[in-house]
C-alpha cells in the first residue's frame, strides 16, 4: 500500500459519518372491532407490522361506552365508572339500534332492558334518538361516530402519526340498513372506510394468515373446512370456512378462504346472562331488605347490580361459587349473597339450550355434514363459560374444541391485515377472501301480458344475489319487454330460514324503488335500431352494500360494408400464406390474448311460458337454478327475453373465428358476418329508499358541527387540565429542587427565599382561585414563576452540560490534530491539500485550544453564584466551526485522484532482420523470472441491451416508497 493510499485511509478513519433515514410519511392504517361491550383497535405502520393499540389505561381492549354529562364527555373505563353514578347519561349497547325503526321490536326490548335511557322517535327518519334534555338529543349514528373518533385518537397517539384509513368489523347478519348506518357514522367521524368487514370473515383471515406456511402444501392436496363458533356479548355466530389455494393473475397460486355457511342468534350472548343474573341479585336484595321500595325501580342501583353480575359471571367461569357484594346498594344498605355456578346455569337454562342452534343453521346453509368439518375453533369472550363449551362439544361431536386463536383480538388483527392489503402504502402477501352475503336480494317488477285476448298484470321476481352469494360482484338485469318508462323494486328474497323473532327484528323487506325516466324518448330517437333491452347494472361492493350503478338502453343495427377489391399482389400473398400454413392475424391474436375477468354476469329478467305453465318452482329453487356466480350457461326464452353470459359468448365467437380461419381445402370459405353497430343511451333512474333513509346533506353537516363542538370542548378542557397540572407540578418540583445541593451551590439564601415566597403565593392562588381560572390565567402564572427561576435554572443547566461539551471539544481537537499531522505526511509530488488550507486548519486548532484554556481559567475565578462566562452555546460554536473545516478537507480527500505514473522506458534495438531486442526482458530472465507475455487486447464492451436497461429501470421504479412486507 502506497503512502498516499495509507494516508487517505487514516484521514477517513478519523471521522465516521452516519446517514439517518428521512422521516417516514404518515401512511398508517387501523382497524376497529366494534363489539357490543368492548372495542379493540389495531394498527399497521412502517416498522410495526400488526399491533393492538393500548388505551390510556394501558389495556388492550376498551369498553364501548360514552358518557355525556353537562360539559363533560367521557369514554371507555371512565364512562363505565360514570354509569354507576349517573346511568342516564352513560350510553352503552346502542349498536342494537343502528338501522332500526322506532316500531322495531328490538327498540322495545332495548327500552325494557335499560329503562334509564329516554329513547324517543325521530319523526323525520322514523328511527330513534337518545334524549338527554329538551334541547339535546343524539342518534345511534352520532354515538357510534363518537366512539370511532375516540378510537382514532387512541390509534394516532399509539402510532405517533395521523390516521384516516380504517377497516371496521360488523356482524355478518347486519342487513343493508345497518351497514349503511355504520358508514354514515364513520363519515361523521371523518374516517375513510376502506371496507366494512364481517367479523367472522376477519377471524377466519387472521387464522389463515398466521398459518400460511404451515398448511399451504396441505391446501394443494385437499380442502380444509374449519368451523368458527363466536359467542360475544350480544350475539352468537357460527361460520364454516373452506381454505384452499387458487390461481390469481397478479400473484400466481395463493391461499384463499371462502365462507360456506353462516348461522347466527342475534340475542344469545354474555349480556343476556348478565341481565338474568342482575335480576336474580335484585330479587335477593329485595328479599333481604324487606322494604316497600323495589330496587328494580332505582336505575343507579340496577347499574351497580349489572356491573356486579358481570364480575360474578366471569369469576364463576373458573370457580364453583363466589360472593356477590355491593356496599351501599340502595338507601345505604349493603348487599351480600353467595352465588353458585349451578344457580347461574339454572337461571340461564333456556339460553344454554340455544347454543347448538347456530351450528345446525351453519351446516344447513353450507349443505354440509359435521363429518366434513376438520376442526371447531371457539372465539369470543362468552365461549369461556364452561357450560357453553360443554354443550358445544356435545353438538359438534368432536374430541376437543380448538382454542389456538386469540378469542378477543382475532377479528381486529384480521381486519387490520385487510386494511394493509387495501392500502397502497404497504405490500402484504396476498390472501384471497371470498365473503358471502347472508341474505338473498331480488328484483321485482310488474308488466302487462295478454293471453287469449285477455290483458292482465304479471308480477315477476328474479334473484339478483342468492343466499351466501360471494361478493364483491356485479350483476346485470336486462328488461326486454318495455319500450316506455317503468319502475321496479329491489327487495330481499326468501328469508324463510330466519326465525319468526328474527324476521320481526329484521325490519323492512323492501330496499329500493327505482323509477326509470327517458325509456320512451330513447326508443323514439332510435327507431331505426333494433332494441337489445334495458340493462340495469348492479354492484355489491367489498362492504356488502348493494347499489345500482347505472341503467342503459342498448340498441343495435347492421352496417352495410362495400366489398373492397383485392389487388393482384394481395391475392398472391394470401394464396402463399394459406399454402404454407400461415394463420390469420385474428387467430394469432386470439391465441395470444389473455381471458378477461368476468366482472358482470347477466341474470334473467322473465321466465319462459313453458316455465310458467309446466314447472312453477318456488323462489328457493329459482335461486339455485336461475342465477349463480359460477353459472356459465346461456338461456334463451321464447318471448324474446334472453340471458347472456359474457364467457359463453366469447367462447362462441372464438369458435366461429376458428372455423372461419380454416384452410380452403378443409371447408369452403363462408361469407363474413355482417358488421353491427351498437348504441347505448343512459336512462335516468330515480331511487327511493324504502328501509331506512340515509342522512340528508344538511343533517350530516349539522351532526358534524355538533360532534366538532364536542371535540373542541374536550380539547379545551384537556388543555386547561394540562395547564393546571403543569403549574402544580412546577411548584412542587421547584420547591423540592431548592433543597438539592446543586441548586443551593449556585444560589444565595436570599435568592432561594425570594423564589420560595413566589412559589408559596402561587400555590395558595391555585388552591383558592385555580378551579375557576381560565387556561390563559394558568399559563400566565406558570410563565411568571419560570421568569423568577430562570437565572437559577440556567446556572444549574450550564454546569450539567460542561462535562459532556468539553469532552466532545477535547476529542475533536485531538482528532483534528491527528488529521493535520497525517495530511502533512502526503508527498509533495502528489499533494491533496494546499498549504493555505493546512495553515488555516492549524490556526483554527490553535485558536480553539487558547480559547478553551483562557475561558476555563476565568470561569474558575468566578464564584458559583455568579452568571457563568463558559457557556454551552459558545462550545457548540467552536465545535461547529472545527467540524465544518474538517468535513471540507475530508470531502476533498475522498474525491481526489492520484496522478498517473509515467511508463518506464525500455531500451530496444532492432536487429538486422527487423526483430526487437528488449534489454529489460533479458535482465528479468537472468534474474530467474519470466517475462509476462504481452496481454491480448480486450474486446470492446457491448452497450447494455434495451431489455436490460428496462429491467433496471423497472426495479428502481417498482420499489414502493413505504413498502412493508409481513
Amino acid at each position: 500500500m502506497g503512502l498516499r493510499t495509507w494516508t487517505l485511509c487514516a484521514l477517513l478513519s478519523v471521522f465516521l459519518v452516519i446517514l439517518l433515514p428521512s422521516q417516514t410519511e404518515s401512511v398508517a392504517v387501523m382497524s376497529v372491532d366494534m363489539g357490543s361491550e368492548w372495542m379493540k383497535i389495531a394498527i399497521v405502520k412502517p416498522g410495526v407490522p400488526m399491533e393492538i393499540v393500548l388505551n390510556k389505561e394501558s389495556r388492550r381492549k376498551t369498553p364501548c361506552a360514552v358518557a355525556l354529562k353537562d360539559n363533560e364527555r367521557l369514554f371507555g373505563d371512565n364512562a363505565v365508572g360514570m354509569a354507576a353514578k349517573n346511568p342516564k347519561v352513560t350510553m352503552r349497547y346502542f349498536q342494537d339500534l343502528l338501522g332500526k325503526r322506532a316500531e322495531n321490536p328490538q327498540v322495545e326490548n332495548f327500552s325494557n332492558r335499560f329503562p334509564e335511557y329516554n329513547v324517543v322517535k325521530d319523526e323525520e327518519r322514523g328511527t330513534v334518538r337518545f334524549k338527554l334534555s329538551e334541547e339535546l338529543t343524539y342518534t345511534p349514528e352520532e354515538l357510534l361516530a363518537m366512539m370511532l373518533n375516540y378510537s382514532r385518537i387512541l390509534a394516532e397517539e399509539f402510532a405517533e402519526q395521523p390516521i384516516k384509513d380504517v377497516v371496521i368489523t360488523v356482524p355478518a347478519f347486519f342487513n343493508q340498513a345497518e351497514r349503511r348506518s355504520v358508514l354514515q357514522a364513520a363519515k361523521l367521524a371523518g374516517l375513510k372506510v376502506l371496507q366494512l368487514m364481517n367479523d367472522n370473515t376477519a377471524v377466519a383471515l387472521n387464522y389463515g394468515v398466521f398459518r400460511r406456511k404451515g398448511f399451504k402444501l396441505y391446501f394443494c392436496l385437499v380442502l380444509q373446512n374449519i368451523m368458527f363458533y363466536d359467542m360475544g356479548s350480544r350475539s352468537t355466530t357460527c361460520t364454516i370456512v373452506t381454505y384452499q389455494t387458487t390461481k390469481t393473475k397478479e400473484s400466481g397460486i395463493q391461499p384463499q378462504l371462502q365462507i360456506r355457511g353462516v348461522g347466527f342468534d342475534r340475542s344469545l350472548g354474555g349480556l343476556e346472562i348478565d341481565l338474568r343474573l342482575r335480576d336474580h341479585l335484585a330479587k335477593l336484595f329485595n328479599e333481604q331488605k324487606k322494604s316497600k321500595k323495589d330496587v328494580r325501580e332505582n336505575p343507579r342501583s340496577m347499574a351497580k347490580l349489572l356491573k356486579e353480575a358481570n364480575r360474578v359471571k366471569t369469576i364463576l367461569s373458573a370457580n364453583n361459587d363466589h360472593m356477590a357484594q355491593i356496599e351501599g346498594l340502595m338507601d345505604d344498605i349493603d348487599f351480600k349473597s353467595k352465588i353458585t355456578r349451578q344457580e347461574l346455569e339454572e337461571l340461564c337454562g333456556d339460553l344454554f339450550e340455544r347454543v347448538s342452534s347456530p351450528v345446525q343453521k351453519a351446516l344447513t346453509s353450507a349443505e354440509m355434514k359435521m363429518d366434513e368439518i376438520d376442526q371447531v375453533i371457539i372465539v369470543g369472550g362468552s365461549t369461556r363459560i364452561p357450560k357453553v363449551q360443554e354443550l358445544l362439544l356435545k353438538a359438534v361431536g368432536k374430541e376437543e374444541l380448538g382454542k389456538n386463536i386469540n378469542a378477543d383480538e382475532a377479528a381486529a388483527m384480521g381486519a387490520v391485515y385487510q386494511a394493509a392489503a387495501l392500502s397502497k402504502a404497504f405490500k402484504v402477501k396476498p390472501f384471497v377472501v371470498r365473503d358471502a352475503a347472508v341474505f338473498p336480494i331480488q328484483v321485482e317488477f310488474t308488466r302487462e301480458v295478454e293471453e287469449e285476448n285477455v290483458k292482465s298484470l304479471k308480477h315477476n321476481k328474479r334473484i339478483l344475489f342468492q343466499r351466501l352469494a360471494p361478493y364483491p360482484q356485479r350483476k346485470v338485469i336486462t328488461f326486454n319487454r318495455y319500450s316506455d318508462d317503468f319502475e321496479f323494486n329491489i327487495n330481499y328474497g326468501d328469508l324463510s330460514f330466519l326465525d319468526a323473532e328474527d324476521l320481526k327484528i329484521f325490519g323492512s323487506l323492501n330496499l329500493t324503488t327505482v323509477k326509470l325516466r327517458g325509456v320512451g324518448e330513447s326508443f323514439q330517437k332510435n327507431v331505426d335500431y333494433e332494441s337489445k333491452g334495458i340493462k340495469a347494472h348492479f354492484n355489491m361492493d367489498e362492504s356488502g352494500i348493494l347499489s345500482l350503478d347505472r341503467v342503459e338502453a342498448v340498441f343495435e343495427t347492421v352496417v352495410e360494408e362495400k366489398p373492397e377489391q383485392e389487388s393482384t399482389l394481395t391475392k398472391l400473398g394470401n394464396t402463399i400464406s394459406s399454402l404454407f400454413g400461415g394463420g390469420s392475424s385474428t387467430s394469432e391474436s386470439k391465441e395470444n390474448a389473455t381471458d378477461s375477468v368476468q366482472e358482470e354476469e347477466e341474470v334473467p329478467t322473465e321466465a319462459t311460458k313453458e316455465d310458467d305453465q309446466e314447472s312453477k318452482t318456488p323462489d328457493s329453487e329459482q335461486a339455485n337454478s336461475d342465477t349463480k356466480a359460477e353459472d356459465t350457461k346461456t338461456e334463451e326464452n321464447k318471448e324474446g327475453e334472453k340471458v347472456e353470459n359474457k364467457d359463453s359468448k366469447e367462447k362462441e365467437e372464438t369458435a366461429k373465428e376458428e372455423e372461419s380461419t380454416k384452410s380452403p381445402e378443409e371447408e369452403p370459405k363462408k361469407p363474413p358476418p355482417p358488421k353491427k353497430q351498437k348504441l347505448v343511451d343512459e336512462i335516468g333512474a330515480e331511487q327511493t329508499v324504502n328501509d331506512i333513509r340515509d342522512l340528508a346533506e344538511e343533517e350530516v353537516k349539522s351532526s358534524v358541527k355538533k360532534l366538532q363542538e364536542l371535540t373542541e370542548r374536550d380539547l379545551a378542557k384537556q388543555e386547561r387540565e394540562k395547564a393546571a397540572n403543569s403549574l402544580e407540578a412546577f411548584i412542587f418540583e421547584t420547591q423540592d429542587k431548592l433543597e438539592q445541593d446543586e441548586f443551593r451551590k449556585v444560589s444565595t439564601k436570599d435568592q432561594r427565599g425570594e423564589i420560595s415566597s413566589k412559589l408559596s403565593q402561587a400555590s395558595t392562588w391555585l388552591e383558592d382561585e385555580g378551579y375557576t381560572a381560565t387556561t390563559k390565567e394558568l399559563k400566565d402564572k406558570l410563565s411568571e414563576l419560570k421568569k423568577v427561576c430562570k437565572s437559577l435554572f440556567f446556572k444549574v443547566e450550564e454546569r450539567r452540560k460542561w462535562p459532556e461539551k468539553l469532552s466532545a471539544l477535547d476529542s475533536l481537537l485531538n482528532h483534528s490534530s491527528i488529521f493535520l499531522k497525517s495530511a502533512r505526511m502526503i508527498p509533495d509530488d502528489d499533494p491533496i491539500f494546499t498549504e493555505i488550507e493546512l495553515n488555516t486548519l492549524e490556526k483554527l486548532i490553535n485558536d480553539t485550544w487558547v480559547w478553551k484554556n483562557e475561558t476555563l481559567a476565568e470561569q474558575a475565578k468566578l464564584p458559583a453564584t455568579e452568571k457563568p462566562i463558559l457557556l454551552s452555546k459558545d462550545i457548540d460554536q467552536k465545535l461547529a466551526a472545527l467540524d465544518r473545516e474538517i468535513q471540507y478537507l475530508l470531502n476533498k480527500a475522498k474525491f481526489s485522484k492520484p496522478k498517473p505514473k509515467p511508463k518506464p522506458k525500455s531500451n530496444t534495438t532492432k536487429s538486422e532482420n527487423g526483430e526487437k531486442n528488449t534489454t529489460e526482458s533479458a535482465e528479468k530472465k537472468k534474474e530467474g523470472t519470466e517475462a509476462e507475455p504481452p496481454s491480448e487486447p480486450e474486446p470492446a464492451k457491448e452497450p447494455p441491451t434495451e431489455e436490460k436497461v428496462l429491467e433496471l429501470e423497472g426495479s428502481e421504479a417498482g420499489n414502493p416508497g413505504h413498502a412493508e412486507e409481513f
Side-chain angles (χ1 to χ4, degrees):
M1 182 184 294
L3 179 61
R4 185 181 193 277
T5 307
W6 178 89
T7 308
L8 281 175
C9 293
L11 291 174
L12 296 177
S13 65
V14 174
F15 298 94
L16 179 63
V17 181
I18 302 176
L19 299 177
L20 298 177
S22 60
Q23 186 177 2
T24 307
E25 186 183 350
S26 172
V27 292
V29 294
M30 62 181 288
S31 70
V32 180
D33 178 23
M34 188 69 68
S36 296
E37 185 177 4
W38 299 98
M39 174 179 68
K40 280 80 67 179
I41 311 164
I43 65 164
V44 169
K45 73 170 186 175
V48 180
M50 296 167 64
E51 184 58 61
I52 290 292
V53 173
L54 303 181
N55 60 17
K56 295 180 180 179
E57 291 78 22
S58 297
R59 300 179 63 186
R60 297 176 71 85
K61 59 181 182 178
T62 304
C64 190
V66 53
L68 300 160
K69 180 185 178 183
D70 300 331
N71 293 328
E72 189 176 21
R73 186 170 63 160
L74 303 174
F75 294 96
D77 292 298
N78 294 330
V80 173
M82 177 67 70
K85 301 177 184 178
N86 196 345
K88 294 183 179 181
V89 299
T90 305
M91 308 301 171
R92 303 182 69 185
Y93 307 107
F94 48 81
Q95 297 94 323
D96 291 344
L97 305 182
L98 290 171
K100 300 288 188 301
R101 291 186 176 272
E103 304 82 21
N104 195 295
Q106 186 115 347
V107 177
E108 184 180 356
N109 294 338
F110 183 87
S111 300
N112 294 334
R113 288 170 176 166
F114 306 103
E116 61 269 21
Y117 298 137
N118 186 11
V119 181
V120 297
K121 182 178 180 179
D122 185 344
E123 297 296 339
E124 295 183 1
R125 297 180 63 208
T127 55
V128 296
R129 286 176 171 267
F130 288 88
K131 186 176 181 180
L132 299 182
S133 64
E134 293 299 328
E135 300 82 15
L136 196 58
T137 60
Y138 292 100
T139 64
E141 289 87 355
E142 290 173 341
L143 296 176
L144 181 59
M146 295 181 195
M147 290 303 306
L148 290 174
N149 188 52
Y150 180 67
S151 69
R152 177 173 61 179
I153 292 173
L154 294 178
E156 288 179 344
E157 290 179 356
F158 192 82
E160 299 178 344
Q161 58 181 280
I163 300 177
K164 191 174 183 180
D165 297 343
V166 62
V167 169
I168 304 174
T169 66
V170 295
F173 51 77
F174 261 25
N175 58 27
Q176 296 290 308
E178 292 168 313
R179 291 175 186 270
R180 294 201 309 270
S181 295
V182 176
L183 286 182
Q184 289 171 9
K187 183 179 180 181
L188 297 179
L191 288 170
K192 178 185 176 183
V193 179
L194 300 176
Q195 181 180 345
L196 291 183
M197 194 173 192
N198 293 338
D199 48 12
N200 57 345
T201 307
V203 170
L205 179 60
N206 175 253
Y207 179 84
V209 163
F210 285 97
R211 289 157 183 80
R212 173 194 299 269
K213 295 182 179 179
F215 53 38
K216 188 171 183 180
L217 179 62
Y218 179 69
F219 283 170
C220 298
L221 303 177
V222 66
L223 303 181
Q224 189 175 12
N225 300 318
I226 305 292
M227 175 182 286
F228 295 94
Y229 190 89
D230 181 4
M231 180 182 285
S233 173
R234 194 67 190 89
S235 61
T236 300
T237 305
C238 182
T239 308
I240 298 175
V241 183
T242 296
Y243 293 93
Q244 59 185 0
T245 54
T246 184
K247 188 175 182 179
T248 62
K249 290 187 176 181
E250 296 82 8
S251 309
I253 297 178
Q254 296 297 337
Q256 169 187 284
L257 70 87
Q258 181 176 0
I259 305 298
R260 297 287 301 279
V262 178
F264 59 88
D265 191 328
R266 278 181 177 262
S267 58
L268 177 62
L271 175 62
E272 192 66 30
I273 298 175
D274 293 345
L275 294 172
R276 296 281 182 94
L277 186 53
R278 179 198 66 176
D279 296 340
H280 178 67
L281 295 178
K283 180 181 178 183
L284 293 178
F285 179 75
N286 287 335
E287 293 174 356
Q288 292 178 7
K289 181 172 62 69
K290 295 180 180 180
S291 174
K292 294 182 180 180
K293 290 184 179 181
D294 190 350
V295 70
R296 289 173 290 190
E297 297 178 358
N298 190 321
R300 183 179 297 180
S301 300
M302 292 300 287
K304 292 180 180 178
L305 285 173
L306 181 60
K307 183 178 180 180
E308 182 65 11
N310 181 272
R311 188 185 71 86
V312 172
K313 179 198 70 176
T314 303
I315 295 177
L316 288 180
S317 296
N319 299 275
N320 291 324
D321 56 69
H322 186 67
M323 191 68 67
Q325 50 187 358
I326 303 174
E327 294 183 3
L329 178 58
M330 190 176 71
D331 297 336
D332 294 331
I333 301 175
D334 298 338
F335 170 67
K336 190 175 183 180
S337 179
K338 185 178 181 180
I339 305 297
T340 64
R341 184 189 292 179
Q342 184 177 358
E343 281 183 88
L344 180 62
E345 293 176 355
E346 291 175 357
L347 284 172
C348 307
D350 59 326
L351 297 178
F352 291 135
E353 289 177 359
R354 292 156 55 184
V355 167
S356 60
S357 176
V359 176
Q360 300 302 323
K361 292 178 181 178
L363 290 171
T364 302
S365 64
E367 299 180 355
M368 298 175 67
K369 296 181 180 180
M370 200 64 222
D371 297 339
E372 301 176 57
I373 305 300
D374 298 308
Q375 190 177 9
V376 179
I377 298 176
I378 56 176
V379 191
S382 297
T383 55
R384 297 186 178 99
I385 300 174
K387 189 66 175 179
V388 172
Q389 295 186 15
E390 176 189 340
L391 295 174
L392 180 60
L393 198 61
K394 182 179 179 181
V396 300
K398 299 290 183 181
E399 295 182 359
E400 61 179 357
L401 300 173
K403 302 177 183 178
N404 50 349
I405 195 171
N406 192 315
D408 292 326
E409 302 172 1
M413 296 296 279
V416 81
Y417 188 90
Q418 184 72 357
L422 295 174
S423 173
K424 297 179 180 179
F426 299 94
K427 180 182 178 182
V428 302
K429 294 181 179 179
F431 203 111
V432 183
V433 178
R434 291 176 61 84
D435 212 331
V438 177
F439 307 112
I441 296 178
Q442 64 187 12
V443 172
E444 300 183 21
F445 55 95
T446 303
R447 68 177 181 85
E448 189 179 68
V449 296
E450 183 176 353
E451 294 181 358
E452 298 179 359
N453 297 327
V454 178
K455 294 183 178 181
S456 62
L457 295 178
K458 181 180 178 182
H459 189 69
N460 297 273
K461 296 180 180 180
R462 290 296 169 264
I463 299 296
L464 189 61
F465 291 96
Q466 296 187 13
R467 182 187 177 190
L468 297 180
Y471 68 85
Q473 191 177 171
R474 296 178 180 271
K475 290 291 184 69
V476 180
I477 284 187
T478 303
F479 301 93
N480 289 322
R481 306 289 292 182
Y482 291 95
S483 59
D484 205 348
D485 296 349
F486 66 98
E487 68 177 42
F488 60 89
N489 296 308
I490 307 171
N491 302 328
Y492 288 105
D494 180 23
L495 300 180
S496 59
F497 59 90
L498 295 179
D499 299 335
E501 183 180 354
D502 288 338
L503 274 174
K504 294 178 181 178
I505 296 174
F506 190 83
S508 174
L509 301 182
N510 303 322
L511 286 172
T512 311
T513 298
V514 182
K515 295 182 179 180
L516 301 184
R517 298 286 183 265
V519 177
E521 296 176 3
S522 181
F523 271 80
Q524 292 175 5
K525 187 173 59 177
N526 301 285
V527 177
D528 299 335
Y529 286 74
E530 178 187 0
S531 172
K532 291 299 179 180
I534 309 299
K535 295 183 181 291
H537 297 255
F538 297 89
N539 176 36
M540 183 172 285
D541 60 15
E542 294 84 355
S543 299
I545 295 178
L546 179 67
S547 62
L548 175 63
D549 282 351
R550 64 188 185 279
V551 181
E552 299 172 338
V554 182
F555 300 91
E556 199 173 70
T557 187
V558 177
V559 179
E560 296 182 359
E561 290 186 347
K562 296 181 180 180
E564 296 181 359
Q565 295 183 356
E566 293 182 333
S567 63
T568 307
L569 185 61
T570 305
K571 291 180 180 180
L572 181 61
N574 292 337
T575 305
I576 296 174
S577 175
S578 61
L579 288 175
F580 287 95
S584 65
S585 60
T586 307
S587 62
E588 289 179 0
S589 62
K590 281 289 179 182
E591 289 175 0
N592 297 332
T594 356
D595 294 336
S596 60
V597 180
Q598 180 184 354
E599 293 184 353
E600 297 181 348
E601 180 185 354
E602 193 155 341
V603 298
T605 53
E606 299 183 28
T608 63
K609 291 182 179 179
E610 294 178 356
D611 292 340
D612 294 339
Q613 296 174 0
E614 297 177 5
S615 58
K616 295 183 179 181
T617 58
D619 292 342
S620 60
E621 294 180 5
Q622 290 182 7
N624 296 329
S625 60
D626 285 349
T627 320
K628 280 191 176 181
E630 298 83 2
D631 188 38
T632 56
K633 295 182 180 179
T634 305
E635 301 178 3
E636 185 172 344
N637 51 41
K638 296 181 180 179
E639 295 181 359
E641 298 159 349
K642 54 186 178 181
V643 183
E644 299 178 359
N645 186 285
K646 293 190 175 181
D647 283 352
S648 13
K649 284 186 69 178
E650 289 179 0
K651 291 179 181 177
E652 291 177 4
E653 292 175 1
T654 305
K656 290 179 181 179
E657 290 175 359
E658 289 177 355
E659 291 177 0
S660 64
T661 55
K662 290 181 180 179
S663 62
E665 297 177 359
E666 298 177 1
E667 187 177 336
K669 186 176 180 181
K670 294 182 180 180
K675 185 177 180 181
K676 295 182 179 181
Q677 182 180 2
K678 188 177 181 181
L679 180 67
V680 177
D681 271 358
E682 187 172 350
I683 302 300
E686 179 185 341
Q687 302 184 48
T688 304
V689 179
N690 297 324
D691 49 0
I692 300 295
R693 179 178 66 82
D694 293 342
L695 290 171
E697 193 63 31
E698 292 299 324
E699 294 173 324
V700 171
K701 292 180 180 178
S702 176
S703 296
V704 169
K705 182 180 179 181
K706 184 197 302 184
L707 297 179
Q708 186 64 31
E709 289 175 353
L710 289 173
T711 302
E712 291 174 357
R713 189 186 68 184
D714 293 344
L715 293 175
K717 180 187 174 185
Q718 293 174 7
E719 188 69 18
R720 187 198 172 281
E721 290 177 351
K722 183 179 179 181
N725 293 335
S726 299
L727 177 59
E728 186 177 10
F730 183 83
I731 292 172
F732 286 111
E733 289 176 2
T734 307
Q735 287 175 341
D736 181 63
K737 289 176 180 178
L738 292 177
E739 303 300 325
Q740 296 177 8
D741 292 338
E742 61 177 342
F743 285 87
R744 296 176 67 90
K745 183 179 179 181
V746 298
S747 62
T748 63
K749 185 177 181 181
D750 294 339
Q751 291 173 343
R752 292 193 300 272
E754 181 185 357
I755 294 175
S756 180
S757 175
K758 293 287 186 180
L759 294 174
S760 299
Q761 293 175 10
S763 179
T764 304
W765 176 84
L766 186 61
E767 293 176 359
D768 296 341
E769 305 176 19
Y771 295 103
T772 59
T774 63
T775 304
K776 185 177 183 303
E777 291 174 341
L778 293 169
K779 290 184 176 180
D780 290 344
K781 184 64 70 174
L782 180 59
S783 299
E784 181 183 342
L785 292 179
K786 286 184 176 180
K787 287 180 181 179
V788 175
C789 304
K790 182 178 180 181
S791 176
L792 176 63
F793 290 165
F794 176 76
K795 289 183 284 187
V796 174
E797 190 66 24
E798 285 295 318
R799 291 179 178 273
R800 287 176 178 174
K801 293 179 179 178
W802 285 349
E804 181 182 355
K805 298 287 185 182
L806 291 173
S807 176
L809 184 59
D810 289 340
S811 176
L812 186 57
L813 285 168
N814 292 331
H815 284 82
S816 301
S817 300
I818 297 173
F819 179 89
L820 180 61
K821 185 177 180 180
S822 301
R824 292 195 181 278
M825 294 174 62
I826 298 175
D828 294 337
D829 57 347
D830 190 13
I832 300 177
F833 311 114
T834 64
E835 191 64 26
I836 296 176
E837 290 172 340
L838 296 179
N839 291 337
T840 301
L841 176 60
E842 183 177 10
K843 183 178 183 303
L844 184 59
I845 293 173
N846 295 333
D847 292 346
T848 305
W849 276 114
V850 171
W851 174 86
K852 175 197 168 189
N853 295 331
E854 291 178 352
T855 308
L856 285 176
E858 292 180 11
Q859 179 63 46
K861 298 176 183 179
L862 288 177
T865 56
E866 294 294 330
K867 182 179 179 180
I869 61 172
L870 178 62
L871 303 179
S872 58
K873 66 176 183 178
D874 294 338
I875 303 177
D876 290 336
Q877 291 178 359
K878 298 296 181 182
L879 284 167
L882 194 57
D883 182 69
R884 185 166 54 250
E885 188 67 25
I886 292 295
Q887 290 297 335
Y888 166 75
L889 297 176
L890 275 174
N891 290 331
K892 186 176 181 181
K894 284 182 185 179
F895 298 104
S896 65
K897 296 181 179 180
K899 295 180 180 178
K901 296 181 179 180
K903 295 182 179 179
K905 297 180 180 179
S906 58
N907 298 325
T908 58
T909 56
K910 287 187 178 181
S911 60
E912 293 180 357
N913 56 4
E915 294 181 353
K916 293 183 179 180
N917 297 325
T918 306
T919 310
E920 183 180 356
S921 60
E923 291 177 357
K924 287 185 178 179
K925 289 181 180 180
K926 289 181 181 179
E927 294 174 359
T929 58
E930 296 182 3
E932 295 180 1
S935 58
E936 298 180 0
E938 296 181 1
K941 295 183 179 179
E942 297 180 1
T945 61
E946 183 180 358
E947 182 179 356
K948 292 183 179 179
V949 172
L950 291 176
E951 184 179 354
L952 290 173
E953 292 177 355
S955 63
E956 294 177 357
N959 187 16
H962 306 285
E964 289 280 332
E965 182 170 358
F966 50 91

